[in-house]
Amino acid sequence: MAQSNVVTDVGVAAGGLGTAVAAATVQFNKAAIMPNLIQMVAAPSGTNTVKFPVYTKHDPTHADYGVDEQASGAEETIANLTSIETTAISCEVLRRAIRAEISDLSAHGNADALLVNAGLQLGNDVARKFDVEVCALLDDFANGVGHDDGMNFNLFMDAIATLEANDAPRPYAAVLHPQQVYGSQGISTEFGSIAAVNASNGAFSGMTGTAEAQFMGAGFVTNLAGVSIHTTTAVVTGGTGRKEGAMFSKTALGAGYIDFGGGNFIQMASEREEAYAKTTLVANAYYAAAELVDVYGCEIDTEIS
């Protein structure tokens, strides 16, 4: 049975009725990737809007309003006057919510802690929604690499070069679709003997460094060329056979949110409806995300098939 907008009664939650012979398997979405990679600022009490001040970049070499190079013996010459310009990126925090209605009989009859697992799944849904919304912003970066190629080390380094050329502050994070990292079109083709089999550039062939050891041993890479690697299927789907991940500085994107305690932007609540013999579980989140500095990000648009 597929997900739908009906009350969770014994006909819907039938998997754990009677005698449970194994632990329940809750199908979670991979979520909560993005909050740690961007600027997260809690909305202060009394307002539902977070403003991110962004300072205009200066050109220190400009003859009229850059750093003045004064001649010998002329240090009393007045310095060039320059403006300190700022703009505000506003994020109005708005509600995202989902609920489940669990009948008392289904909660009692299921031996797999139905109410607990339902709460976990609703919270996961909201966390995933946050990732999907923020990943959509990655597609808006003006700078990009790839388009008609599979993922490879050269493209990865081109993305770093793009950020460095725009003075994007480190650290950098790369958020990619799993098939941009693994598989016949992923950066995994660059590692060791796999490179020879797939006739790729073989950028890591024969290397014994951390990245090579991580991939060949643990099966994943956490850091490459100083960039943290994160995979999620929440990235945007581009043209046929393409995924649109990105590499970016932490200050490229920001999100305002309501803090429910400890930096948590997800709230779980429940209420009883005695007349209907059911419990309603609600997952709430209040947030809004926005691009702050466009050139601090670089889209990575590559083929995956």
Side-chain angles (χ1 to χ4, degrees):
M1 184 174 179
Q3 179 184 7
S4 62
N5 58 340
V6 299
V7 174
T8 304
D9 56 19
V10 292
V12 175
L17 287 174
T19 301
V21 295
T25 300
V26 184
Q27 295 190 66
F28 289 116
N29 292 295
K30 188 173 184 179
I33 300 295
M34 302 307 292
N36 293 325
L37 304 180
I38 67 174
Q39 288 195 83
M40 297 285 292
V41 178
S45 179
T47 180
N48 63 347
T49 300
V50 172
K51 289 189 175 183
F52 292 87
V54 178
Y55 284 68
T56 301
K57 188 178 180 180
H58 279 180
D59 176 7
T61 65
H62 196 280
D64 297 325
Y65 42 81
V67 177
D68 188 19
E69 183 179 345
Q70 298 178 349
S72 175
E75 65 273 9
E76 72 281 359
T77 303
I78 190 168
N80 284 344
L81 175 65
T82 192
S83 61
I84 307 297
E85 181 185 33
T86 67
T87 57
I89 307 297
S90 295
C91 290
E92 180 186 3
V93 297
L94 299 174
R95 184 188 183 210
R96 277 77 168 169
I98 189 171
R99 81 180 195 277
E101 298 177 357
I102 315 294
S103 73
D104 289 354
L105 192 58
S106 65
H108 178 79
N110 279 270
D112 63 336
L114 178 60
L115 285 169
V116 174
N117 288 333
L120 292 173
Q121 192 162 31
L122 295 181
N124 174 257
D125 289 343
V126 175
R128 172 68 172 195
K129 183 67 163 62
F130 181 90
D131 281 359
V132 168
E133 291 185 38
V134 176
C135 282
L137 297 175
L138 305 181
D139 188 39
D140 294 334
F141 290 140
N143 294 322
V145 298
H147 304 297
D148 295 321
D149 306 297
M151 187 64 189
N152 59 60
F153 187 64
N154 287 338
L155 288 178
F156 194 87
M157 295 305 289
D158 283 345
I160 294 177
T162 300
L163 297 185
E164 291 282 3
N166 287 289
D167 298 321
R170 285 185 182 255
Y172 301 155
V175 175
L176 304 168
H177 188 274
Q179 288 173 282
Q180 290 181 295
V181 176
Y182 308 102
S184 61
Q185 298 291 324
I187 200 169
S188 61
T189 60
E190 300 275 24
F191 289 88
S193 59
I194 301 173
V197 173
N198 288 281
S200 72
N201 294 322
F204 301 100
S205 183
M207 292 180 63
T208 57
T210 302
E212 175 87 352
Q214 277 191 340
F215 189 82
M216 293 305 177
F220 57 87
V221 179
T222 58
N223 191 286
L224 185 59
V227 179
S228 60
I229 309 293
H230 309 268
T231 60
T232 175
T233 55
V235 300
V236 172
T237 298
T240 304
R242 298 213 309 266
K243 294 295 181 179
E244 300 177 356
M247 186 184 297
F248 52 92
S249 169
K250 191 178 181 73
T251 49
L253 305 170
Y257 68 99
I258 291 179
D259 187 350
F260 290 107
N264 185 16
F265 65 92
I266 299 175
Q267 176 198 50
M268 292 300 305
S270 65
E271 64 179 3
R272 284 290 300 163
E273 296 186 62
E274 294 293 352
Y276 296 96
K278 65 183 179 182
T279 299
T280 297
L281 301 176
V282 183
N284 292 305
Y286 293 82
Y287 63 82
E291 179 183 278
L292 304 182
V293 183
D294 180 77
V295 295
Y296 284 1
C298 179
E299 185 180 20
I300 302 176
D301 183 352
T302 65
E303 298 281 349
I304 62 167
S305 63

